[in-house]
Amino acid sequence: MALHWRSLLCFRSKTRLLIIFTFCLTVIHSLGNDVDNCDKLQLGQYVCKEPKIDDATQEPENCKDRLAWVECLPAPNISCRLSNGTQFKFSGEEVGFNKSILCRNVSGYSYKVALALSLFLGWIGADRFYLGYPALGLLKFCTVGFCGIGSLVDFMLISMQIVGPSDGSDYIVDYYGARLTRLTITNETYRRKQLSP
């Protein structure tokens, strides 16, 4: 019976030692890995540069597939891991990572020109010809803008950016100008929500 108690006490002390050892390893490991990747920094810990805007398109110069990249600088005395895995302490002057921003696909159709054509020459279909809809432009020309009602409707649709260029691109709008962003929910939206952290 005494042998049974001794083995039980020995087992309990070994178990306690194992638990304490595991706890110490966990604490040491967590202290050593308190540095995250640079692209996981929180909003106040970095500042991103303004994108360079192309004068012709009024979009960032490196816009491709509706995404552009801007350089971000971590704040002074922030330590994080670079994309190659090395830990670096920043002084506030070095680029730490690039962040993607949304941009628009434009192909030469100006919002201001389309709106002016719709307002002043919409009754002869000039707005629809400009946007690449020749059949509707000819129909508006022959019916004098559907007796003015079609011209008014087209002016409202173009001003709200519902009717755009026929090639599916976006209007050229000043980068800091009044832009409308259409919100839609599709299956792709659901997948992006599932994939985002």
Side-chain angles (χ1 to χ4, degrees):
M1 183 81 171
L3 184 62
H4 176 67
W5 283 104
R6 278 191 196 145
S7 64
L8 188 60
L9 285 175
C10 183
F11 178 73
R12 284 185 180 172
S13 62
K14 287 180 184 177
T15 304
R16 285 184 193 149
L17 283 175
L18 183 63
I19 290 172
I20 292 171
F21 180 72
T22 305
F23 177 74
C24 290
L25 279 179
T26 305
V27 168
I28 291 171
H29 182 69
S30 67
L31 289 176
N33 286 339
D34 62 346
V35 178
D36 285 333
N37 290 337
C38 289
D39 55 355
K40 303 262 191 262
L41 291 176
Q42 295 179 5
L43 191 57
Q45 295 178 324
Y46 67 90
V47 63
C48 293
K49 294 181 179 179
E50 288 290 320
K52 293 178 182 146
I53 306 302
D54 185 8
D55 289 334
T57 63
Q58 289 295 308
E59 291 298 322
E61 289 179 351
N62 59 356
C63 180
K64 185 176 182 182
D65 297 329
R66 297 191 178 267
L67 285 178
W69 297 92
V70 292
E71 296 177 336
C72 296
L73 296 93
N77 299 322
I78 294 287
S79 293
C80 61
R81 291 192 198 285
L82 300 174
S83 59
N84 62 6
T86 60
Q87 183 176 338
F88 192 79
K89 187 172 186 176
F90 290 90
S91 67
E93 302 294 324
E94 304 91 355
V95 174
F97 60 96
N98 292 330
K99 186 174 182 175
S100 65
I101 59 171
L102 294 176
C103 59
R104 295 159 48 114
N105 175 28
V106 296
S107 65
Y109 294 99
S110 172
Y111 175 67
K112 292 176 185 177
V113 171
L115 201 58
L117 285 173
S118 181
L119 181 62
F120 297 114
L121 299 173
W123 58 277
I124 60 171
D127 53 351
R128 290 296 186 151
F129 280 115
Y130 174 72
L131 292 174
Y133 301 102
L136 286 173
L138 187 61
L139 189 61
K140 278 178 73 174
F141 178 77
C142 292
T143 60
V144 189
F146 299 111
C147 298
I149 296 171
S151 299
L152 179 64
V153 169
D154 269 355
F155 177 74
M156 292 179 68
L157 292 175
I158 290 173
S159 65
M160 290 187 293
Q161 298 179 18
I162 294 173
V163 171
S166 63
D167 62 358
S169 64
D170 294 312
Y171 288 114
I172 295 175
V173 180
D174 291 337
Y175 186 71
Y176 295 107
R179 296 173 179 226
L180 294 179
T181 304
R182 233 175 266 122
L183 299 177
T184 58
I185 297 175
T186 62
N187 288 338
E188 184 67 25
T189 308
Y190 180 72
R191 273 189 255 141
R192 285 188 183 172
K193 183 180 176 186
Q194 293 289 330
L195 295 176
S196 64

